[in-house]
């Protein structure tokens, strides 16, 4: 399939040929959902903690006799029904980590890149496009390229000027192709890539004779 080339002024500058297996497949939305869910779960710290009755440093003696006091049976001060008492069925430190097979991660990224490409949301910067380190330059460039809400700017490897120019733009995020993830593609409306980044994505997630990755 072909991806559009955009020059510094946002004008069409031709097309480049892209791997159909990365940018032109039928999106597998079930795998995308599973990949994004796993990524968000893996980002959780799992440090929430509450004290149960054994962790409350209170006297274990009953506060009053069982009968004859004219009040309810209160039990010990560590009871979850008392102020300052324990928490019943509260959270404790745990791992939320989910394991996702490599082929499913690859399929999820290919599915989202293909979906963005089918919607016209993937652009390739022409070779003469310069990503400057100034925020104003990057803001003007993104507007010229048709960015309306949010976009990922993907390079082949870390581009310090690109990172510096986009770090103060709240809806624009620069990153190397090697660190693309399903969640980032899903939460940005458009993807602007260099031609080298396109080739790196093809090398990373192309089929290379391994099947369609859906198993």
């Amino acid at each position: 399939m072909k991806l559009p080339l955009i020059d510094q002024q946002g004008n069409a500058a031709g097309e480049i040929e892209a791997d159909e297996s990365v940018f032109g497949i039928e999106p597998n939305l079930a795998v995308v959902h599973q990949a994004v869910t796993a990524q968000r779960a893996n980002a959780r710290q799992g440090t929430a903690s509450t004290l149960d009755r054994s962790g409350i440093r209170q006297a274990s003696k009953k506060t009053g006799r069982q009968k004859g006091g004219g009040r309810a049976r209160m039990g010990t001060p560590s009871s979850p029904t008392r102020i300052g008492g324990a928490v019943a069925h509260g959270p404790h430190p745990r791992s939320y980590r989910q394991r996702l097979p490599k082929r499913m991660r690859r399929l999820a990224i290919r599915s989202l890149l293909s979906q963005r490409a089918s919607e016209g949301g993937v652009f390739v910067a022409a070779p003469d496009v310069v990503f400057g380190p100034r925020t104003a330059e990057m803001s003007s460039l993104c507007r010229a390229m048709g960015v309306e809400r949010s976009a990922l700017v993907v390079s082949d490897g870390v581009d310090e000027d690109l990172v510096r120019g986009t770090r103060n733009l709240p809806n624009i995020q620069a990153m190397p192709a090697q660190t693309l993830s399903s969640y980032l593609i899903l939460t940005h409306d458009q993807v602007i890539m260099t031609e080298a980044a396109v080739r790196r994505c093809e090398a990373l997630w192309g089929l290379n004779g391994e099947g369609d990755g859906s198993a």
Side-chain angles (χ1 to χ4, degrees), residues 4 30 39 42 63 81 93 98 106 114 117 140 149 189 192 199 209 213:
Q39 186 176 350
N42 294 344
T63 56
T81 61
Q98 298 181 18
R106 288 158 53 99
S114 298
S140 299
R149 297 178 61 185
D189 296 319
I192 301 172
R199 303 309 171 204

Side-chain angles (χ1 to χ4, degrees), residues 27-87:
N28 189 324
L29 299 183
V31 172
V32 169
H33 176 270
Q34 192 167 347
V36 172
T37 300
Q39 186 176 350
R40 299 305 294 159
N42 294 344
R44 297 184 66 175
Q45 290 185 327
T47 55
S49 182
T50 55
L51 295 177
D52 55 19
R53 295 185 70 154
S54 65
I56 297 293
R57 301 191 67 176
Q58 296 272 16
S60 59
K61 179 179 173 58
K62 287 184 62 169
T63 56
R65 55 185 296 180
Q66 180 79 355
K67 293 179 177 294
R71 297 188 303 168
R73 295 165 289 187
M74 300 301 292
T76 64
S78 62
S79 169
T81 61
R82 305 293 299 274
I83 295 176
V87 176

Side-chain angles (χ1 to χ4, degrees), residues 167-181:
R167 64 187 174 187
N168 288 327
L169 298 175
N171 299 321
I172 309 296
Q173 183 171 352
M175 63 188 324
Q178 298 90 321
T179 59
L180 267 180
S181 68

Side-chain angles (χ1 to χ4, degrees), residues 81-101:
T81 61
R82 305 293 299 274
I83 295 176
V87 176
H89 312 295
H92 297 286
R94 54 163 289 193
S95 173
Y96 290 91
R97 186 160 189 83
Q98 298 181 18
R99 180 186 173 276
L100 192 70

